Amino acid sequence: MSETEGTRFEALFEHTDDAVAEVEFVDGEPILRAVNPAFAELFGVDSERIRGEPLSEYVSGMERRADW
């Protein structure tokens, strides 16, 4: 990804009205690495404090799937 593409992606991530989460799969479970302001507002969380926690703690209906 070029620097310009990275900058555009970061702007989109931060300014979209949709809740967006960046996750890393650890042992098949999505672990939060970053969330945008819309996610933090929708779920009533501090975006810094939830880093490293499972996404399933915040999004109901998440099930661990073998194909992740």
Side-chain angles (χ1 to χ4, degrees), residues 21-64:
E22 177 185 346
V23 299
E24 176 182 355
F25 287 90
V26 177
D27 295 327
E29 184 162 11
I31 303 299
L32 290 164
R33 295 298 174 225
V35 298
N36 72 345
F39 184 102
E41 183 178 338
L42 179 65
F43 293 100
V45 297
D46 179 314
S47 60
E48 297 297 318
R49 298 181 96 188
I50 66 171
R51 281 188 186 163
E53 295 188 27
L55 178 62
S56 59
E57 293 291 320
Y58 300 95
V59 180
S60 64
M62 293 282 307
E63 297 175 3
R64 186 174 177 164

